[in-house]
Amino acid sequence: MSMVITDINRVPETIIKEYAGLGVATVHEAQGRKGLLSSILRPIYRPVLIAGTAITCEVTPGDNWMIHVAVEQCQPGDVLVVSPTSACSDGYFGDLLATSLKARGVKGLIIDAGVRDIAALTRMQFPVWSSSISATGTVKESLANVNSPMVCAGVLIYPGDLIVADDDGVVVVSKGEAESVLQKSRAREANEEDKRQRFEKGELGLDVYKMRQRLAAKGLGYEKAGSED
Amino acid sequence: MSMVITDINRVPETIIKEYAGLGVATVHEAQGRKGLLSSILRPIYRPVLIAGTAITCEVTPGDNWMIHVAVEQCQPGDVLVVSPTSACSDGYFGDLLATSLKARGVKGLIIDAGVRDIAALTRMQFPVWSSSISATGTVKESLANVNSPMVCAGVLIYPGDLIVADDDGVVVVSKGEAESVLQKSRAREANEEDKRQRFEKGELGLDVYKMRQRLAAKGLGYEKAGSED
Amino acid sequence: MSMVITDINRVPETIIKEYAGLGVATVHEAQGRKGLLSSILRPIYRPVLIAGTAITCEVTPGDNWMIHVAVEQCQPGDVLVVSPTSACSDGYFGDLLATSLKARGVKGLIIDAGVRDIAALTRMQFPVWSSSISATGTVKESLANVNSPMVCAGVLIYPGDLIVADDDGVVVVSKGEAESVLQKSRAREANEEDKRQRFEKGELGLDVYKMRQRLAAKGLGYEKAGSED
Amino acid sequence: MSMVITDINRVPETIIKEYAGLGVATVHEAQGRKGLLSSILRPIYRPVLIAGTAITCEVTPGDNWMIHVAVEQCQPGDVLVVSPTSACSDGYFGDLLATSLKARGVKGLIIDAGVRDIAALTRMQFPVWSSSISATGTVKESLANVNSPMVCAGVLIYPGDLIVADDDGVVVVSKGEAESVLQKSRAREANEEDKRQRFEKGELGLDVYKMRQRLAAKGLGYEKAGSED
Amino acid sequence: MSMVITDINRVPETIIKEYAGLGVATVHEAQGRKGLLSSILRPIYRPVLIAGTAITCEVTPGDNWMIHVAVEQCQPGDVLVVSPTSACSDGYFGDLLATSLKARGVKGLIIDAGVRDIAALTRMQFPVWSSSISATGTVKESLANVNSPMVCAGVLIYPGDLIVADDDGVVVVSKGEAESVLQKSRAREANEEDKRQRFEKGELGLDVYKMRQRLAAKGLGYEKAGSED
Amino acid sequence: MSMVITDINRVPETIIKEYAGLGVATVHEAQGRKGLLSSILRPIYRPVLIAGTAITCEVTPGDNWMIHVAVEQCQPGDVLVVSPTSACSDGYFGDLLATSLKARGVKGLIIDAGVRDIAALTRMQFPVWSSSISATGTVKESLANVNSPMVCAGVLIYPGDLIVADDDGVVVVSKGEAESVLQKSRAREANEEDKRQRFEKGELGLDVYKMRQRLAAKGLGYEKAGSED
């Protein structure tokens, strides 16, 4: 039987706000290189950067009925995450659904399937990450679950988890770790800013990261190119 | 033997003009979800939207000779549709051919193969949908047919059929249906505009489309998240 | 044992400068249709066009350590070319490495693997051609060679070779041929300009290239469409 | 509206019988290199070789209902050809449907989608060419057409056309050409047998096909390897 | 920090034994069409059928160190399930590791990456499902987790879950459902046997499943082929 | 201009003979994990294992003319290696060419493109590794080089180099290293045999390779599963 779980717990809005400006690569590194969705998910326009709380929505192949069900579960600040029960590249989502989500304050869509009306979605500046772009329509015949734990693009997502998405891709942070990952992300950013300034001045990573000794220990050799080169 | 069919019948220009502004998803839905070319065809720049009449052109792998033959068959308002007789991603088409087509009033190119000079094509604003981008050149050794019925990206196209192409992809409408599909597309657009306004006000698809009863009949259940979530 | 070759010979800067404005398709044709890297390499932003001298850098899967080693070998005018020893789409390169390369005057990166921080790379206008985009981080554990001859995206590249890259893709010109290919590229450009003007006036390729007789000799037929069409 | 066309015309059984033993490559060449389905279709076991008449069956993504409808239209000697209206790799077909088709004398299945129970299908020696293998089940909710003209794996197929399939792939021969292609296929086979005997004796294709002069005219050069090689 | 979880709970051996002979498609259907791993996983030889308890093992790209760690956690009746933290097709596993697993009574390997020595693995009749075959070797440098919950080929697997794998693919059954799914699988098999006998006698699915009325209600039409066909 | 290099130097037959029975994974490891062709090359039947000297043959897309030229350059013990100048999956090679090569004592074919007549090739037991299987025919119009250095499936191959190919894939060993790699391959085999015996007795890789201390040093932890698992 298919179920819709209502009244889910979400990462608090106060934490989400603090994620503003933090990119996917930073967050992914800060949480120990986990939670990154497959890079087959690409944004339909760039640049783009969002952070919000996941509403999870399963769909059956070629059938977008459950997206309509999921919309009702969305609150301002949510990100709708859609995954088909078997691989499908049809266009599950277009400008009407985007209009509805935008009206509800939803920050964007993550879908391991196709979307359409991307010219309109781009004009509306409604952020979408999808695994394909296709005008193929879908039917409304089969049920599936909303707000159950769900694998999307290779990663397990619980409803209410934090989603961060930008030009590089999409990463999920679990509810229980959203605060600690935030601190680590900021620390990482501060550290990177320091490195960036040193690189701008021409310092080498070999020195900044003190790699020379370890490279030599591993056996790296240097040799001048021969004159015959 | 390879043949060039001349003096083909085309969807009348008066009808083509009426398609201005109608997108691929709309037309595809309006004609009963058929005629959509594979989503491997992508525009080289966005946004873009054209409607025109098909000139069909077969090419052999790595050989663009027949494109030169097809150019002569093109009239103002045509769209050149090119399909290789076996899969090939070479760059069959570049800025010189685009210059020639543009001079003849051709509206764009659909090709299930590669194109090159895409920086120049973008500057010229000559619309191209292709399955790949490649600088690989082609030879001029082998014949094939122009203006025969042809499968391109999985769909059968007759010369003179209507082609609509935009950011979402490419759809073909047969000559005999161009007028009726036009009426249905407009009706669909009007209907969508009404829906859009309701969604903007915050109405839900569940209510707009009266889905709740049918979902319940299929057995959809609702449940509050447990406190342990 | 892994080696770094230093003090390599490069195509002279005086020649590189002359390549300014010459595109990949032109250079590829001019050198007899060789040296084109696989079209899976795509620029992260467009339009873009560079010419520079190759620093070659092998990396192991999921490990970007050698890129840090290669940076030290880069001089102003170089292009860093990176190839994994087995296929990997991880994000080997981001904005810190780009900052370091830019500070050294490097013109761009060619990598048959993934990159990340592409929003920042685009803002910096640091040109990158990659086979994927991925926020996945890499480790620093394994050695490989720098400035050895290396196959990247299907093509053999020697350190110091000329790399030309634009919206269409990437081509390599060997040190020994850089001067002759330059002359042929320019001749080709001049010839194409003449053709472009003829096409703009409406002349057909069939006539410009004098193809009609050869087409007829091969057996191409012409036939009017029947009235039943 | 979805339609089932009954009482279709078929290539006569007397002609089909004559195709016994003729392979796909031979038939494809004999009919002028057309009609070959995409090589993504692969047999589930080898060796295998069939010839029969096409029953065409559209299916919607993730929905195999129409296959049950199509079974009723099958007669002894038919080959069921199934194509989804948009790409889908689910397992549309398994051993129960194969049992049903076998009971009706059907020679095999061609499907541009997935199949399952392939161990059982192999034990039954029921020939299947598919684009994927997947245990994913399908629903029975949506209609589509049976015995309409249909594109399968890139090629247009009319009901009643001749299908030849073997280890190399699948080719379709139109009803009107089945007899003439049969003659050409046999002529080709006879000619190949003569060539095969000459090759077995060590004659070279360069001589058998008298290629040397044409190669030289095109400019092929020969050169001894240098001693430094 | 990377962890190895020891002394995991497993689906009891008494239940596993009862699964003997049950195929993937049957089990997948019986548990409500969930738990099926992506069909990119293919067996290296056929026919093959196993059922056992999962040991989960993460690996980093190009690094098989953790497989050696996981072997120690394997008991007779286990199936080793390996998933890379980012996509990699290298050959993580060969005949030495298979010898070690076989000596421990392990029933097979499921790996969303590459394997090698497949001729030897086939001779040994050690069952392997992999997403690629590659002789590329791996290093032993980086840690990851053993027996943590893990996504493999798109599906979440807990250590100790039941794995069933055959020619069609791989399905996972959660510990808590292994017994109920067993009963449903058997019921399904019994039901299918009855259907099979009816199909063998020539009955149609349209009648066996009583589909005719529902098809008509949906609007399916029948029409004789015209004489012009 | 296209050239055929004749009278190439080859790895001596005495060395080739010593490679009998050595597999691709062993040789690849023994030569320091280089020279492995992309795993998209798969044998058309299994098991299979060959070692021989490379004749390199470029072909243009959809054109197999140069294969006929290359046949003449083949001697007993050679392996014909074919690579298209741009990607193509057409069927370049079938049973007639195989008959010709077999008559000349050629040991097999490596081709980064398609082959056909694979049922006949399997019956003849003529070993072929290809990147696709396709009945699509090719023309004979364009020249390319024979016995020039050539990249095939991502790896540089010189004519006369040693090719080893088996169920796992294809590896090339350069002429200058064929003897030393032979010694290292044998040493590796002897070492593996010792390991195999220890694994068969139930010893763990953790102990055989003395990994426990290094794993602990890297920080690997062990923990009993909780009772709630």
Side-chain angles (χ1 to χ4, degrees), chain F residues 9-37:
Chain F
N9 291 324
R10 290 167 166 89
V11 173
E13 202 191 333
T14 48
I15 295 181
I16 302 288
K17 277 186 181 164
E18 298 289 320
Y19 270 91
L22 290 170
V24 168
T26 298
V27 171
H28 171 56
E29 291 286 346
Q31 76 171 337
R33 296 188 177 175
K34 65 184 182 191
L36 191 69
L37 279 66

Side-chain angles (χ1 to χ4, degrees), chain B residues 98-143:
Chain B
T99 301
S100 185
L101 286 180
K102 203 170 185 183
R104 297 182 76 78
V106 171
K107 290 190 173 173
L109 171 76
I110 314 293
I111 181 167
D112 187 3
V115 293
R116 58 184 186 176
D117 300 329
I118 62 167
L121 297 177
T122 302
R123 275 196 307 270
M124 293 167 64
Q125 291 283 294
F126 185 79
V128 173
W129 288 255
S130 73
S131 52
S132 66
I133 292 163
S134 167
T136 307
T138 50
V139 298
K140 290 166 189 31
E141 297 284 354
S142 301
L143 301 187

Side-chain angles (χ1 to χ4, degrees), chain C residues 31-47:
Chain C
Q31 76 172 337
R33 295 189 175 175
K34 64 184 185 190
L36 191 69
L37 279 67
S38 165
S39 59
I40 57 167
L41 297 184
R42 296 295 303 140
I44 59 165
Y45 63 83
R46 293 169 43 198

Side-chain angles (χ1 to χ4, degrees), chain D:
Chain D
M1 192 192 163
S2 294
M3 292 298 298
V4 181
I5 307 300
T6 66
D7 302 281
I8 59 163
N9 292 323
R10 291 169 165 88
V11 172
E13 201 192 334
T14 48
I15 295 180
I16 302 288
K17 277 186 181 163
E18 299 289 319
Y19 269 91
L22 290 171
V24 168
T26 298
V27 172
H28 171 57
E29 291 286 345
Q31 76 171 337
R33 294 187 179 176
K34 64 184 183 191
L36 192 69
L37 278 66
S38 165
S39 59
I40 58 168
L41 297 185
R42 295 295 303 140
I44 59 166
Y45 62 84
R46 294 169 42 199
V48 62
L49 170 58
I50 64 167
T53 38
I55 296 297
T56 66
C57 176
E58 295 174 3
V59 289
T60 59
D63 189 318
N64 78 345
W65 208 10
M66 296 313 293
I67 297 183
H68 289 275
V69 174
V71 170
E72 189 177 31
Q73 304 307 315
C74 291
Q75 297 179 359
D78 282 342
V79 174
L80 182 57
V81 184
V82 178
S83 187
T85 54
S86 70
C88 186
S89 64
D90 291 353
Y92 281 81
F93 184 96
D95 74 328
L96 287 184
L97 276 166
T99 301
S100 185
L101 285 181
K102 204 172 184 182
R104 295 182 77 78
V106 172
K107 290 190 172 173
L109 171 76
I110 314 293
I111 181 167
D112 187 2
V115 293
R116 58 184 187 175
D117 301 328
I118 63 167
L121 298 177
T122 302
R123 276 195 307 269
M124 292 167 66
Q125 291 282 295
F126 184 79
V128 173
W129 287 254
S130 73
S131 52
S132 67
I133 291 164
S134 167
T136 306
T138 49
V139 298
K140 289 164 188 38
E141 298 284 353
S142 302
L143 302 188
N145 298 306
V146 171
N147 279 338
S148 62
M150 182 182 83
V151 173
C152 181
V155 174
L156 180 67
I157 301 178
Y158 286 88
D161 279 353
L162 168 65
I163 301 289
V164 178
D166 68 8
D167 296 20
D168 287 347
V170 183
V171 69
V172 60
V173 179
S174 72
K175 276 193 289 286
E177 298 184 68
E179 190 147 13
S180 66
V181 170
L182 174 62
Q183 305 318 321
K184 287 178 198 155
S185 297
R186 288 202 168 155
R188 193 175 167 87
E189 279 227 315
N191 177 46
E192 288 207 341
E193 185 49 37
D194 170 65
K195 297 283 192 306
R196 191 172 293 109
Q197 290 177 14
R198 294 177 66 181
F199 287 136
E200 276 169 0
K201 286 177 200 150
E203 279 193 75
L204 288 167
L206 292 178
D207 300 313
V208 168
Y209 301 114
K210 300 190 198 322
M211 291 169 168
R212 293 186 194 274
Q213 193 173 350
R214 198 169 150 243
L215 284 163
K218 285 254 182 180
L220 187 65
Y222 284 79
E223 192 174 274
K224 277 204 181 186
S227 56
E228 88 291 346
D229 177 47

Side-chain angles (χ1 to χ4, degrees), chain A residues 46, chain B residues 42-48 115-130 132-134, chain C residues 41-50 118 121-123 125-130 133 165-169:
Chain A
R46 291 169 44 198
Chain B
R42 295 295 304 140
I44 59 166
Y45 63 84
R46 291 171 43 200
V48 63
V115 293
R116 58 184 186 176
D117 300 329
I118 62 167
L121 297 177
T122 302
R123 275 196 307 270
M124 293 167 64
Q125 291 283 294
F126 185 79
V128 173
W129 288 255
S130 73
S132 66
I133 292 163
S134 167
Chain C
L41 297 184
R42 296 295 303 140
I44 59 165
Y45 63 83
R46 293 169 43 198
V48 62
L49 170 59
I50 64 168
I118 62 166
L121 298 176
T122 302
R123 275 194 307 269
Q125 290 282 296
F126 184 79
V128 173
W129 288 254
S130 72
I133 292 164
D166 68 8
D167 296 19
D168 287 346

